[in-house]
């Protein structure tokens, strides 16, 4: 049989195969389901399973028990950890959102007027975003350093002002960690807000100018309502990212002084890799997942519905 004859003989079968599955979505989405199941769902399911065990990093035997859940949730350190996490995440979300929007507005208005430096401003903000978390923590550790070469305290000395214990005072260290995280995450918010600002119909502003609306009135009655969906989506993303941040904190303060800056993600790291308590870390990971999902649901409930757009 020639090659042409073989192709002619096989063509009806291939056509019938394609026709058979043309209207069935399952064969087409099965590869995606397999990839998500292996790389996303399995680790989550295994974390749930480990939270019901007494597994450790140095032991092979595992028994299923509720003792790990009870021990971790009744830990006397957990309320302080959750409060430090609340301050860190809440302050980061507010700071990154406001600064990101402010930088985006400045860049967009600068571009409309053809001002020099808008590209430099946008690029400078993005540099902080591409810096790895560990590198960012080291940079801010040097800036906040209370040694004679510490940059911020050196500026205060030049201005004849008292120096600040940026990293050794338990009352100030959380704010130092917060500042460093806002610096790093503002660029992401700026990118989201910049794209959303570009999508606003310019005829809205033209109509507002005809009606005599001031710049602040245009901002609060046109810009903010038009950015509502972008703001909420951005808040969901930066909340989840900040809740999972531990690399910048571990290099900046190590969670100290004491436990003043030990957020829940760093607490999980310490429980698993310093206490070797795999089940305890799994319980805390499930708690982080519940907090993230809860906050995401709350934010999503404020998203504009289809008929409101």
């Amino acid at each position: 049989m020639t090659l042409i004859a073989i192709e002619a003989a096989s063509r009806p079968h291939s056509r019938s195969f394609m026709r058979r599955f043309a209207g069935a979505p399952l064969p087409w989405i099965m590869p995606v389901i397999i990839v998500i199941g292996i790389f996303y769902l399995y680790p989550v399911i295994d974390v749930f399973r480990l939270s019901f065990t007494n597994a450790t990093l140095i032991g092979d035997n595992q028994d299923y028990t509720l003792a790990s859940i009870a021990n971790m949730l009744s830990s006397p350190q957990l309320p302080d950890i959750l409060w430090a996490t609340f301050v860190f995440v809440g302050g980061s979300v507010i700071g990154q959102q406001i600064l990101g929007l402010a930088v985006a507005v400045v860049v967009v208005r600068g571009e409309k007027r053809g001002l020099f430096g808008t590209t430099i401003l946008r690029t400078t903000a993005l540099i902080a975003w591409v810096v790895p978390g560990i590198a960012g923590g080291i940079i801010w550790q040097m800036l906040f350093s209370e040694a004679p070469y510490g940059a911020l305290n050196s500026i205060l000395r030049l201005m004849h002002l008292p120096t600040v214990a940026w990293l050794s005072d338990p009352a100030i260290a959380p704010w130092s960690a917060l500042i460093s995280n806002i610096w790093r995450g503002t660029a992401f918010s700026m990118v989201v807000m910049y794209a959303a600002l570009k999508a606003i119909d310019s005829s809205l502003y033209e109509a507002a100018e005809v009606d005599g609306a001031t710049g602040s009135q245009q901002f609060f009655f046109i810009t903010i309502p038009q950015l509502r969906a972008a703001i909420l989506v951005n808040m969901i993303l930066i909340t989840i990212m900040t809740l999972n941040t531990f690399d910048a904190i571990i290099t900046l303060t190590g969670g100290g002084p004491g436990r003043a800056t030990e957020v829940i993600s760093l607490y999980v790291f310490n429980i698993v890799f310093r206490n070797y308590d795999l089940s305890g870390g799994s319980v805390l990971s499930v708690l982080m997942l519940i907090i993230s999902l809860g906050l995401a649901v709350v934010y999503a409930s404020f998203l504009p519905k289809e008929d409101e757009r």
Side-chain angles (χ1 to χ4, degrees), residues 30-112:
M30 185 57 70
V32 178
I33 293 175
I34 293 173
V35 171
I36 291 177
I38 293 175
F39 293 103
Y40 292 94
L41 289 182
Y42 173 73
V44 174
I45 293 171
D46 202 42
V47 166
F48 272 95
R49 183 188 67 81
L50 289 170
S51 66
F52 289 96
T53 68
N54 58 355
T56 66
L57 285 182
I58 55 177
D60 296 331
N61 297 325
Q62 296 180 13
D63 295 324
Y64 287 91
T65 174
L66 297 176
S68 298
I69 298 176
N71 291 336
M72 292 310 303
L73 296 184
S74 62
S75 170
Q77 292 86 16
L78 188 59
D80 293 335
I81 299 292
L82 291 177
W83 174 249
T85 305
F86 172 76
V87 172
F88 184 68
V89 174
S92 297
V93 170
I94 295 172
Q96 292 176 12
Q97 185 71 69
I98 293 175
L99 288 179
L101 177 59
V103 175
V105 168
V106 170
V107 171
V108 170
R109 291 189 175 182
E111 288 179 345
K112 285 182 179 178

Side-chain angles (χ1 to χ4, degrees), residues 17-33:
F17 177 81
M18 298 295 291
R19 196 179 299 116
R20 184 185 304 169
F21 292 105
L26 188 60
W28 306 103
I29 64 175
M30 185 57 70
V32 178
I33 293 175

Side-chain angles (χ1 to χ4, degrees), residues 10-210:
S10 61
R11 196 169 298 150
H13 295 289
S14 61
R15 287 178 179 173
S16 62
F17 177 81
M18 298 295 291
R19 196 179 299 116
R20 184 185 304 169
F21 292 105
L26 188 60
W28 306 103
I29 64 175
M30 185 57 70
V32 178
I33 293 175
I34 293 173
V35 171
I36 291 177
I38 293 175
F39 293 103
Y40 292 94
L41 289 182
Y42 173 73
V44 174
I45 293 171
D46 202 42
V47 166
F48 272 95
R49 183 188 67 81
L50 289 170
S51 66
F52 289 96
T53 68
N54 58 355
T56 66
L57 285 182
I58 55 177
D60 296 331
N61 297 325
Q62 296 180 13
D63 295 324
Y64 287 91
T65 174
L66 297 176
S68 298
I69 298 176
N71 291 336
M72 292 310 303
L73 296 184
S74 62
S75 170
Q77 292 86 16
L78 188 59
D80 293 335
I81 299 292
L82 291 177
W83 174 249
T85 305
F86 172 76
V87 172
F88 184 68
V89 174
S92 297
V93 170
I94 295 172
Q96 292 176 12
Q97 185 71 69
I98 293 175
L99 288 179
L101 177 59
V103 175
V105 168
V106 170
V107 171
V108 170
R109 291 189 175 182
E111 288 179 345
K112 285 182 179 178
R113 290 171 172 80
L115 298 179
F116 173 78
T118 53
T119 304
I120 297 175
L121 175 61
R122 188 176 56 193
T123 306
T124 304
L126 289 173
I127 289 175
W129 188 28
V130 300
V131 171
I134 292 178
I138 294 173
I139 291 171
W140 279 97
Q141 205 278 338
M142 296 172 65
L143 292 173
F144 285 134
S145 176
E146 295 159 32
Y149 58 82
L152 295 181
N153 277 342
S154 297
I155 295 173
L156 293 177
R157 288 191 197 94
L158 290 174
M159 298 171 67
H160 302 289
L161 294 174
T163 58
V164 178
W166 298 101
L167 302 177
S168 60
D169 188 335
I172 298 176
W175 301 105
S176 302
L178 183 60
I179 292 171
S180 69
N181 195 58
I182 291 174
W183 169 81
R184 182 163 176 253
T186 294
F188 179 82
S189 297
M190 185 270 290
V191 172
V192 176
M193 293 298 106
Y194 177 81
L197 285 169
K198 284 285 192 180
I200 297 177
D201 190 351
S202 59
S203 63
L204 296 174
Y205 295 104
E206 294 170 0
E209 289 179 359
V210 171

